[in-house]
């Protein structure tokens, strides 16, 4: 098919260019037209044969309904069966503009438009060219975005030409689209109005007119398996560039630290304007960080740009979800298949008595690449020869706890420190702050690179190390199992094993404060237990 491309600068309804575009529509053909959101692929909404051509040209699934575009509020009555007062208030506030309302449908609208639903989507665009073409055609126009299904919505005429040339009768060139993401879709056919697709008219703006408006969970989350989409369009895989996009949440500094630590894993950055020079990757930008309208304007174009560059793995900055940012995030999260990278690693503190199998659990938890920090080893490090902690201990417990080389006589210190409660407290008051400081410093390094940390700490709670953890795990096992494990591991008698366990009774009580309690009994499959817990 020969596609006529008509550039329209003058937008009087009577202008020859506008009339030519309208002629195609009156003849039952398709015309791609600019709107303030994205380009639309229009057909006479009352003509089911013309509407069928839209689905053919786009390769669009038949069960995804279209939006009907009008040029005057009064036309709503020829399309909707009922027009609630709320709809009129919304129209007064935001029409013409990037807002679509779902209302009960009149029979005049063919099933092809509404995909068999009892409701219909209606919008009055503000773009002067769209407005003029609708008026000149003399009928409401059904129009989805003018892209091949599964591709990004077109925000410039060249995008439409790329996708639709030869497939449709006419493409109207009206320059770049202002908003760049599709209209806000709100349904008024539920008891509480519901935001189905966020756009340039924000949730806050809807609530200012309507009172409470619910946000459909599918706006920022993947649709749960088997769930029915409130808006059929949400169930389809939307456009994502050929590259895998991973979103790095956090501040720019955190983003940068992540990129630096994982530089081999990406070939492009999708970032905000002005950040390019600081990021050590080739960059594509998507607007300014503080201005979501510039982000929406650029988003789809930036996807097409990444594809043209052949990008494979993209580290993307996370925009704010506020205001128009909700619409930006809705499109971006889908394009990224909801892949988020943790800027900051998590610190998981693990405690458990002797023989509970704490170390096995730590190793299992670290399988996904987490680093293990052993608090006992740190305790030994801070009492190394010449350390300030050692000097304090000598002062408190007698200088003879150091041998002639200045090394700590651990047994002697233990015999003095564990003689009574007060002495024990004196010991921990001296050592704990240094242990915590060293563990914290080490953990922080990993965490800043996005690496998770497993902190293996027998005295997690009594030492106060739990304070530096994001979550805590207590590993337990029945006493007889623990006794057996200790006897085997340390080649000690049953009596000795029981004695050790009894010495830890108080510590075990503290451990019960942990966020997670893992039963590591005799035949426990610890990987399976972790998989089934919320630890992963
Ligand atoms: O900005 C826009 O809205 C653009 C321009 C061209 O106006 N159009 C557009 O159309 O984005 P389309 O077809 O790509 O998206 C229409 C969305 C789909 O997600 C569809 O499922 C939803 O609106 N929709 C249409 N009728 C509906 C209905 N009766 N109930 C629920 N959702 C509906
Ligand atoms: Mg679309």
């Amino acid at each position: 098919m020969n596609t006529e491309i008509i550039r329209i600068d003058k937008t009087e309804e009577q202008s020859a260019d506008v009339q030519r575009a309208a002629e195609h529509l009156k003849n039952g053909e398709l015309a791609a037209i600019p709107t303030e959101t994205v380009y639309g692929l229009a057909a006479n909404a009352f003509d089911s044969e013309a509407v069928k051509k839209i689905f053919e040209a786009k390769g669009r699934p038949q069960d995804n309904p279209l939006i009907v575009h009008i040029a005057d509020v009064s036309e709503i009555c020829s399309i909707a069966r009922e027009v609630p007062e709320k709809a009129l208030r919304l129209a007064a506030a935001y029409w013409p503009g990037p807002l679509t309302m779902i209302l009960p449908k009149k029979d005049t609208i063919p099933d092809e438009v509404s995909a068999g639903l009892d409701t219909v989507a209606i919008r009055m665009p503000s773009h002067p060219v769209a407005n003029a073409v609708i008026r000149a055609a003399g009928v409401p126009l059904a129009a989805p975005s003018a892209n091949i299904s599964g591709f990004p919505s077109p925000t410039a005429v060249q995008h439409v030409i790329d996708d639709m040339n030869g497939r449709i009768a006419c493409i109207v060139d009206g320059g770049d689209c202002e908003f760049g993401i599709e209209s806000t879709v709100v349904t008024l056919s539920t008891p509480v109005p519901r935001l189905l697709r966020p756009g340039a008219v924000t949730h806050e703006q809807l609530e200012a007119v309507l009172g409470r408006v619910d946000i459909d969970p599918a706006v920022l989350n993947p649709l749960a398996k088997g769930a029915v989409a409130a808006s059929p369009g949400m169930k389809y895989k939307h456009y994502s560039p050929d590259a895998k996009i991973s979103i790095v949440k956090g501040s720019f500094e955190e983003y940068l630290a992540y990129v630096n630590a994982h530089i081999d894993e990406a070939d492009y950055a999708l970032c905000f304007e002005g950040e390019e020079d600081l990021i050590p990757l080739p960059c594509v930008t998507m607007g300014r960080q503080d201005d979501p309208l510039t982000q929406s304007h650029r988003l789809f174009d930036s996807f097409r740009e990444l594809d043209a560059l052949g990008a494979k793995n993209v580290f993307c900055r996370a925009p704010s979800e506020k205001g128009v940012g909700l619409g930006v995030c809705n499109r971006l999260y889908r394009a990224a298949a909801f892949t988020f990278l943790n800027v900051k690693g998590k610190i998981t503190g693990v405690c458990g008595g002797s023989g509970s199998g704490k170390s096995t659990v730590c190793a299992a938890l670290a399988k996904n690449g987490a680093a293990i920090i052993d608090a006992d080893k740190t305790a030994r490090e801070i009492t190394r020869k010449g350390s300030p902690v050692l000097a304090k201990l000598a002062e408190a417990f007698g200088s003879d706890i150091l041998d002639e080389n200045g090394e700590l006589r651990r047994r002697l210190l233990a015999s003095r420190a564990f003689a009574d409660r007060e002495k024990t407290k004196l010991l921990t008051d001296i050592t704990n702050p240094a242990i915590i400081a060293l563990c914290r410093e080490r953990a922080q390094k990993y965490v800043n690179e996005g690496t998770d940390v497993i902190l293996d700490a027998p005295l997690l709670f009594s030492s106060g190390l739990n304070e530096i953890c994001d979550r805590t795990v207590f590993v337990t096992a029945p006493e007889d199992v623990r006794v057996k494990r200790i006897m085997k591991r340390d080649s000690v008698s049953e009596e000795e094993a029981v004695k050790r366990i009894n010495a830890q009774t108080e510590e075990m009580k503290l451990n019960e404060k942990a966020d997670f309690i893992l039963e590591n009994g005799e035949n426990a499959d610890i990987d399976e237990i972790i998989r089934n817990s919320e630890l992963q």
Side-chain angles (χ1 to χ4, degrees), residues 2 8 26 50 84 144 165 171 218 250 277 298 333 379 387 408 475 485:
N2 183 33
I8 296 185
K26 287 189 204 164
N165 201 14
I171 296 175
D277 292 347
R298 270 286 298 159
Y333 293 179
S387 71
L408 179 61
V475 185
R485 284 182 187 152

Side-chain angles (χ1 to χ4, degrees), residues 33 35-41 58 60 63-67 69 98-100 102-103 113-114 117-123 125 143-147 153 181-185 187 189 196-197 229-234 236 238 331:
I33 57 169
T35 83
E36 70 280 19
T37 57
V38 300
Y39 272 80
L41 184 56
K58 273 183 69 99
R60 182 178 174 106
D63 64 347
N64 194 4
L66 308 176
I67 297 172
H69 295 70
L99 174 68
T100 297
I102 311 283
L103 294 173
V113 171
S114 59
L117 296 175
D118 189 35
T119 51
V120 60
I122 309 176
R123 158 164 131 77
S145 48
N147 52 286
S153 293
I181 57 171
E182 308 86 343
S183 61
T184 302
V185 178
T187 179
S189 69
L196 301 181
R197 182 176 76 182
S231 173
M234 284 198 272
Y236 292 106
H238 271 260
R331 310 315 192 272

Side-chain angles (χ1 to χ4, degrees), residues 13-36:
E13 193 182 318
Q14 297 311 326
S15 90
D17 294 337
V18 171
Q19 288 296 326
R20 256 166 55 227
E23 211 52 46
H24 289 292
L25 291 160
K26 287 189 204 164
N27 291 339
E29 292 298 334
L30 306 184
I33 57 169
T35 83
E36 70 280 19

Side-chain angles (χ1 to χ4, degrees), residues 227-246:
V228 177
S231 173
M234 284 198 272
K235 77 179 172 212
Y236 292 106
K237 187 178 162 2
H238 271 260
Y239 178 79
S240 54
D242 291 336
K244 181 174 165 45
I245 297 199
S246 306

Side-chain angles (χ1 to χ4, degrees), residues 28-156:
E29 292 298 334
L30 306 184
I33 57 169
T35 83
E36 70 280 19
T37 57
V38 300
Y39 272 80
L41 184 56
N44 175 354
F46 294 137
D47 179 347
S48 59
E49 290 309 311
V51 171
K52 277 184 197 158
K53 291 181 185 167
I54 295 180
F55 288 88
E56 278 165 34
K58 273 183 69 99
R60 182 178 174 106
Q62 301 286 339
D63 64 347
N64 194 4
L66 308 176
I67 297 172
V68 177
H69 295 70
I70 58 177
D72 194 289
V73 182
S74 62
E75 287 176 83
I76 204 175
C77 301
S78 65
I79 301 163
R81 196 168 65 234
E82 292 155 34
V83 182
E85 187 254 356
K86 280 180 175 170
L88 296 176
R89 272 194 278 147
L90 270 188
Y94 303 119
W95 275 1
L99 174 68
T100 297
M101 294 182 224
I102 311 283
L103 294 173
K105 172 184 102 75
K106 258 196 176 161
D107 290 342
T108 45
I109 294 295
D111 278 347
E112 280 77 10
V113 171
S114 59
L117 296 175
D118 189 35
T119 51
V120 60
I122 309 176
R123 158 164 131 77
M124 182 166 137
S126 64
H127 197 294
V129 172
N131 189 279
V133 173
I134 299 168
R135 280 180 200 282
V139 284
L141 299 179
S145 48
N147 52 286
I148 302 273
S149 250
F151 278 65
S153 293
T155 58

